[in-house]
Amino acid sequence: MPHEFTEITSETELRELLGEPLPRAVTKERTALHDWDREWLARSPFCLIATSDAEGNCDVSPKGDPPGFTQVLDATTIAVPERPGNRRADGYRNVLANPHVGLIYLVPGRGETLRINGRARLVRDAPFFDAMVVKGHRPILALVVEIEQIFFHCAKAFMRSALWKPESWEPDALPSQARMVKEIQRVEETLEDLERYYGAQYAERLYKG
């Protein structure tokens, strides 16, 4: 059966529901890094990077490394290292077609996030790669972002979700990654093979590819 919706089709309708933003929500936008932005990036071990291709098809990719993994190149430029992964390169292929990106940086335990929007390019090597070495491994490429908009986002989503409250966590409510892969995907490996793959050796390969 088709779903029934009362759809919003104009910004006027949207504003009738949401109202106008508070002045401080509008004026918080900046175009260059403040000292506190730099400190946030120095303490952040995780970010999400949103991209879209030339047709508008979207992707969001998580990136994580030791705190400070994002290099600040100057007041309007940052660089995010790439580590060995699944090689799909969905976001990177998008950047080649459409350079516009959005990033959200998290600091564990903090409800606020740092949002950065800008234009990105892929770099296969640069002198700053030496500062991105982790466990003896240089990044295989980096995403360089020219900042166009930056601001801190409020903590309400994290407060509502209780994301950082351990008493709300239920990781074992879901089956193991190996079991989900076996049941969802068409793979040749046995469940035991997959359990080994996602076991101790998974962590050992984080920087080895």
Side-chain angles (χ1 to χ4, degrees):
M1 294 179 59
H3 297 287
E4 294 185 4
F5 301 107
T6 302
E7 187 176 352
I8 297 169
T9 58
S10 70
E11 184 172 347
T12 299
E13 290 181 274
L14 181 64
R15 285 300 170 199
E16 287 175 353
L17 286 173
L18 298 183
E20 296 296 328
L22 296 173
R24 64 175 177 272
V26 176
T27 60
K28 67 182 178 180
E29 294 183 14
R30 293 168 279 110
T31 57
L33 293 164
H34 185 277
D35 287 346
W36 286 121
D37 302 324
R38 294 171 181 261
E39 185 67 18
W40 191 276
L41 292 174
R43 295 182 179 277
S44 175
F46 182 85
C47 75
L48 297 163
I49 302 178
T51 60
S52 67
D53 65 16
E55 286 73 45
N57 300 299
C58 298
D59 179 76
V60 177
S61 179
K63 302 295 178 185
D65 242 341
F69 72 102
T70 293
Q71 291 291 308
V72 174
L73 303 185
D74 57 46
T76 59
T77 315
I78 60 173
V80 183
E82 170 66 4
R83 307 298 181 182
N86 59 21
R87 303 175 188 171
R88 284 180 57 99
D90 298 294
Y92 294 142
R93 288 188 289 114
N94 285 348
V95 168
L96 293 174
N98 174 6
H100 297 283
V101 298
L103 301 88
I104 293 183
Y105 280 90
L106 282 67
V107 170
R110 287 294 296 255
E112 303 82 11
T113 55
L114 182 65
R115 291 174 55 173
I116 296 176
N117 297 317
R119 298 173 66 89
R121 50 201 165 110
L122 304 180
V123 176
R124 64 187 304 164
D125 199 8
F128 62 80
F129 277 38
D130 292 337
M132 293 176 161
V133 174
V134 175
K135 296 185 177 181
H137 295 274
R138 293 176 100 246
I140 54 181
L141 62 86
L143 185 77
V144 174
V145 179
E146 301 291 339
I147 297 170
E148 296 178 331
Q149 182 188 52
I150 182 170
F151 58 92
F152 282 104
H153 193 95
C154 75
K156 290 179 181 177
F158 286 79
M159 295 170 70
R160 293 178 181 127
S161 65
L163 186 67
W164 300 126
K165 294 183 180 296
E167 61 270 24
S168 73
W169 300 349
E170 295 184 85
D172 296 328
L174 293 167
S176 68
Q177 177 69 4
R179 179 179 161 193
M180 289 192 289
V181 168
K182 185 63 178 176
E183 293 184 7
I184 295 173
Q185 299 178 219
R186 290 179 294 178
V187 294
E188 296 180 356
E189 295 94 334
T190 66
L191 178 58
E192 291 73 22
D193 290 336
L194 291 169
E195 292 286 7
R196 282 193 296 272
Y197 176 82
Y198 290 110
Q201 64 172 316
Y202 195 73
E204 295 171 357
R205 294 194 309 271
L206 289 179
Y207 295 95
K208 298 179 181 177

